[in-house]
Amino acid sequence: MPNLTMPKITLKHTALLMLAAGVLALPLLSSPVSAQNDPIASRKAVMKSVGGAMRDPGQMMRGQAPFDLAKVKASLETFVDASGKMSALYPKGSETGGETTASPKIWEAKADFDARMVKFGADAKEALASITDEASFKANFPKVGQNCGGCHETYRIEKK
Amino acid sequence: MIGMSKQQILLGLALALVCGATGFWVLTAPAVWHAVRGVPTVPVKAAQLENGQTLFWAGGCASCHATPDQDDRLRLGGGRTLPTPFGTFRVPNLSSDKQDGIGGWSDQAFITAMREGVSPDGRHYYPAFPFTSYALMRDQDLVDLLAYLKTLPAVTGRVADHDLNFPFSFRRGLGLWKWLNLGSGPYQPQAGQSDDWNRGAYLVNGPGHCAECHSPRDVMGGIRTSLRLSGGPDPEGGAGYIPNLTSHASGLAKWSAEDIAEFLKTGFTPDFDSAGGSMASVIKNMAHLTDADRMAIATYLKSLPPLPSNKPAKKTP
């Protein structure tokens, strides 16, 4: 006679099952799909990449690190890339939440905000072309960096 | 009230009312400050435009008075609105226009405005105009600043009056507020401190008016002096908390003087984050100062005793 009763679920089984579910769910948590659905997290990550890329040239500007053209170019490429991604990461409905420090003014003046992102990218591209040595770096890099404060003044608010 | 007739009580009450009203009238009269603390003297030395320009940037005049929604920070037509818990302030015209701006002002009138918070027509200014800090400015610096302001373009147009909630709409009451919150300047250099430190103390507490945003305030809107520069809620009504500038762990403990000077020039923190909001506007002003002045500010800030920030704990969701 076949055993028609359900197999007995022991504590050991439950633990194994939970572990398996956890392992299966892991890639979901870190998948790029969830990042795309969360514009606040995505734009924070892009902004962080810009801040991170500012470190090398920033330290070179301050004389805290030796000039390195390859590193400067890599940073400028990051800026160009970020400026292209940014505008799409502020859709309507993402005004609040996730401890965002985006100012509500972004959505009142989206065209101006987008134009500033385009300018940031264009300035970075121009710097990529014009920076060839330390002297041209010191002369042309600050113009790129000024985009940060210029935009933050209007469109970033203080952390709570 | 044994032994007092009803008439005597009424007379007493009436007397108290008259005395109270007279006392209030006298205490809040804009001219009484002069009578008690003396009329400011106007220096005779010719105005130094270059020094006036330095003080213009140190004082952050453009951050509030520049015409909004345009890029020329020397076009001081006013018109910016400042929403606060007390109501909405409208920033007046500071351009050199003789009718609508300050083009026709005397040195004496300007010193009285900056140091006592009283307008040329004898009315109290609200402390949204940070005269409690500007009061520390030296006579010669104020004369130089006015002379520089008069070289800037004239912009026509008067800005409408503030739109404040009662009782703040009652200007005369500010007379009492001033007795509580307005010291008498100008700044006196501290013996035993370096010239650099004294220059920094002057720039931070006088023209720079850093404490106006970077300090907590009491219920009357006065700066809590014991917690000066330890940070505070956004006085412009924003949800953010303005950072602590003392050398406490919640403040500038990890910043070197060079970090502070560099931040004031470029807006980049030691972590290469970039300042936002009102501070980005302040950086645009500070960037015009000399390296020596920015370093003096940094030297002074690094000397401040550590005070913990009163920033409210984050709510956990």
Side-chain angles (χ1 to χ4, degrees), chain A residues 88-109:
Chain A
L89 297 176
Y90 296 80
K92 279 208 171 82
S94 69
E95 289 89 337
T96 53
E99 294 188 347
T100 184
T101 53
S103 165
K105 285 181 187 157
I106 291 173
W107 291 271
E108 290 164 17

Side-chain angles (χ1 to χ4, degrees), chain A residues 50-52 54-59 61-62 64 99 116 145-146 148-150 152-160, chain B residues 73 239-243 259 262-263 266 268-281 284 311 314:
Chain A
V50 173
M54 191 55 78
R55 180 173 293 273
D56 283 336
Q59 288 181 333
M61 282 302 295
R62 294 179 189 191
Q64 293 165 347
E99 294 188 347
R116 283 168 186 267
Q146 278 160 15
C148 303
H152 283 176
E153 177 177 356
T154 315
Y155 297 117
R156 184 192 195 178
I157 54 173
E158 284 291 335
K159 287 182 192 121
K160 271 185 202 170
Chain B
R73 292 168 74 75
Y241 200 84
I242 312 290
D259 286 338
E262 191 64 38
F263 174 71
T266 64
F268 287 107
T269 69
D271 292 330
F272 294 94
D273 192 0
S274 164
S278 304
M279 196 61 205
S281 174
K284 280 188 184 168
K311 183 176 177 171
K314 259 186 206 166

Side-chain angles (χ1 to χ4, degrees), chain B residues 282-305:
Chain B
V282 173
I283 301 290
K284 280 188 184 168
N285 303 324
M286 292 294 169
H288 288 274
L289 299 187
T290 60
D291 286 335
D293 274 349
R294 282 188 293 265
M295 203 57 202
I297 291 172
T299 302
Y300 171 72
L301 289 180
K302 282 306 284 180
S303 79
L304 292 173

Side-chain angles (χ1 to χ4, degrees), chain A residues 96-131:
Chain A
T96 53
E99 294 188 347
T100 184
T101 53
S103 165
K105 285 181 187 157
I106 291 173
W107 291 271
E108 290 164 17
K110 192 69 181 11
D112 177 62
F113 180 78
D114 292 348
R116 283 168 186 267
M117 286 300 174
V118 170
K119 183 185 169 286
F120 176 42
D123 285 353
K125 266 188 200 146
E126 208 181 296
L128 267 172
S130 62
I131 294 175

Side-chain angles (χ1 to χ4, degrees), chain A residues 32-49:
Chain A
V33 176
S34 69
Q36 271 166 22
N37 292 336
D38 185 354
I40 295 178
S42 304
R43 69 199 187 211
K44 277 189 177 176
V46 176
M47 280 292 183
K48 283 251 185 267
S49 77

Side-chain angles (χ1 to χ4, degrees), chain B residues 76-91:
Chain B
L76 305 176
R80 193 181 153 195
T81 53
L82 300 172
T84 74
F86 307 105
T88 299
F89 290 98
R90 290 194 183 84
V91 181

